[in-house]
Amino acid sequence: MLRVLAVDDEEPALEELLYLLRADPRIRSAEGATGATEALRRIGGAVDAGPEDAAAIDVVFLDIHMAGLTGLDVAQLLAGFAAPPLIVFVTAHEGFAVHAFDLKAVDYVLKPVRRERLAEAVRRVAEQVGDRSAPGHDTAQDQIPVELGGVIRFVPIDDIAYAEAQGDYARLHTATGSHLVRVPLTTLEERWRTRGFVRIHRRHLVALGRIDELRLDAGSMSVRIGTAELAVSRRHTRALRDLLMRQGAR
């Protein structure tokens, strides 16, 4: 049962969100705050009191555009807390999803809020609250937000076979399709290095464990991932071959 704080400086929007949250059987309590200052005061008190206190907060449903401090500002401040509540952004604007990902948001819900979409966000929160008992595991870093038909979805990083540079964007390829995200390939390379992704070309970042074949032809190298064949640039050839040999020796 989740304890929720909803934050929005527009009272009609806040009341509608609270109504929907309180109708969900997984919500123990849902309280509202009409601005960032009030929200930070209540969250700070809840964190100081501890998770077993009646005022404890598991998750904050947070609007982005507010007078004074924005929801993004609040999330950045919460990142400095020892044990902050989880965050779900609720906004009318699609363009902040990447920033939300950087701030480890659990979900990103677009206004006007639909009951079924909010229920999905609550499900994600409930899963992560349960997973918090597993030490050292940060489930917020296991997925990346993508926009699909005006809806923000979170794609598990483990489902991504490779990423392809498209200017300042990257196209993520999975077994079921592809998704365009507003993140440069160099940024994904840095973030996902510890997750087994390696750069094989200026255009491609691949999941090492998804490589089906390594092909050599007249001095050039390529890899096959499913039905896709991707060239390996000369500067990455030796490093990739060494990585695959070490992986095969384990």
Side-chain angles (χ1 to χ4, degrees), residues 5 21 23 27 34 56-57 89 105 147 155 160 163 166 173 177 180 198 204 226 235 239 241:
L5 178 67
L21 287 168
I27 304 295
T34 56
I57 298 169
F89 284 110
E147 191 275 331
V155 173
I160 298 167
Q166 294 191 352
H173 294 266
L180 192 65
V198 295
H204 292 119
R235 64 176 296 218
R241 185 161 46 192

Side-chain angles (χ1 to χ4, degrees), residues 88-171:
V88 172
F89 284 110
V90 182
T91 177
H93 304 275
E94 299 176 7
F96 296 100
V98 171
H99 200 168
F101 170 70
D102 288 336
L103 293 170
K104 302 182 180 180
V106 176
D107 210 340
Y108 191 92
V109 179
L110 293 175
K111 296 179 179 179
V113 178
R114 295 181 291 110
R115 186 186 299 270
E116 59 273 20
R117 182 64 184 88
L118 188 64
E120 170 64 14
V122 172
R123 183 192 66 78
R124 291 178 182 273
V125 170
E127 284 184 354
Q128 290 207 25
V129 168
D131 286 343
R132 279 187 162 186
S133 59
H137 182 64
D138 186 357
T139 55
Q141 292 300 298
D142 289 343
Q143 50 197 4
I144 182 169
V146 301
E147 191 275 331
L148 184 63
V151 176
I152 303 298
R153 301 294 187 194
F154 282 71
V155 173
I157 294 171
D158 287 344
D159 288 354
I160 298 167
Y162 67 96
E164 179 182 5
Q166 294 191 352
D168 291 332
Y169 292 69
R171 182 166 294 280

Side-chain angles (χ1 to χ4, degrees), residues 19-220:
Y19 173 79
L20 293 173
L21 287 168
R22 289 166 180 163
D24 192 305
R26 294 164 294 188
I27 304 295
R28 178 193 301 181
S29 62
E31 303 299 328
T34 56
T37 301
E38 179 188 356
L40 287 169
R41 177 181 57 78
R42 295 176 67 168
I43 295 167
V47 170
D48 290 342
E52 303 305 319
D53 190 84
I57 298 169
D58 296 308
V59 57
V60 181
F61 282 77
L62 186 58
D63 187 25
I64 289 182
H65 281 292
M66 297 187 291
L69 291 176
T70 69
L72 297 173
D73 294 329
V74 172
Q76 288 174 328
L77 290 169
L78 292 183
F81 285 35
L86 299 174
I87 294 172
V88 172
F89 284 110
V90 182
T91 177
H93 304 275
E94 299 176 7
F96 296 100
V98 171
H99 200 168
F101 170 70
D102 288 336
L103 293 170
K104 302 182 180 180
V106 176
D107 210 340
Y108 191 92
V109 179
L110 293 175
K111 296 179 179 179
V113 178
R114 295 181 291 110
R115 186 186 299 270
E116 59 273 20
R117 182 64 184 88
L118 188 64
E120 170 64 14
V122 172
R123 183 192 66 78
R124 291 178 182 273
V125 170
E127 284 184 354
Q128 290 207 25
V129 168
D131 286 343
R132 279 187 162 186
S133 59
H137 182 64
D138 186 357
T139 55
Q141 292 300 298
D142 289 343
Q143 50 197 4
I144 182 169
V146 301
E147 191 275 331
L148 184 63
V151 176
I152 303 298
R153 301 294 187 194
F154 282 71
V155 173
I157 294 171
D158 287 344
D159 288 354
I160 298 167
Y162 67 96
E164 179 182 5
Q166 294 191 352
D168 291 332
Y169 292 69
R171 182 166 294 280
L172 311 178
H173 294 266
T174 70
T176 57
S178 68
H179 309 278
L180 192 65
V181 294
R182 197 178 303 174
V183 185
L185 199 65
T186 52
T187 300
L188 294 180
E189 179 184 10
E190 181 179 339
R191 288 177 182 170
W192 294 351
R193 185 174 291 115
T194 59
R195 303 187 67 98
F197 282 79
V198 295
R199 193 74 171 258
I200 65 166
H201 191 276
R202 63 183 178 82
R203 290 194 59 206
H204 292 119
L205 179 71
V206 305
L208 202 61
R210 296 298 192 98
I211 295 176
D212 297 311
E213 290 181 359
L214 181 66
R215 298 177 176 178
L216 295 170
D217 182 21
S220 64

